[in-house]
Amino acid sequence: GLMHGDTIHRLKIAKGHLDKVIRMVQNGDYCIDILTQSQAVQAALKKVDALILENHLKTCVADAVRGDKKDQAVAEVIKVFKKK
């Protein structure tokens, strides 16, 4: 679906940034430049996380709330954020 394509696109952006970080480290680039590029990887991955979570809330959680699994669905989402 549309969400799947956008997620793949954003993951490829993150991978591109990560590949650049690896090259920069291999080349001995300036540490601050490497950190800046690494932060771009992390920002891109956060956008992916947000997309995946949004999709989950709109689909799986919405279905769970209509059924009798609301507490389980909420607990799963909270568990993910407690890991951070």
Side-chain angles (χ1 to χ4, degrees):
L2 183 64
M3 184 267 175
H4 180 259
D6 198 16
T7 301
I8 296 295
H9 174 69
R10 289 185 181 277
L11 281 168
K12 286 181 178 176
I13 289 170
K15 183 177 185 293
H17 287 308
L18 183 56
D19 287 343
K20 186 168 182 188
V21 171
I22 292 167
R23 282 194 307 274
M24 291 172 80
V25 171
Q26 287 171 334
N27 294 338
D29 287 8
Y30 186 55
C31 293
I32 297 299
D33 294 340
I34 296 170
L35 281 171
T36 301
Q37 193 63 37
S38 176
Q39 288 173 337
V41 176
Q42 294 172 69
L45 288 174
K46 282 181 183 173
K47 287 178 183 172
V48 170
D49 286 353
L51 271 177
I52 293 170
L53 178 61
E54 180 182 356
N55 182 65
H56 180 67
L57 292 173
K58 287 179 176 175
T59 57
C60 303
V61 174
D63 291 342
V65 169
R66 280 190 219 94
D68 59 350
K69 298 199 163 106
K70 179 176 73 172
D71 291 343
Q72 180 185 339
V74 170
E76 281 180 343
V77 172
I78 290 169
K79 186 178 170 187
V80 170
F81 283 97
K82 283 187 176 171
K83 284 181 188 173
K84 294 186 177 195

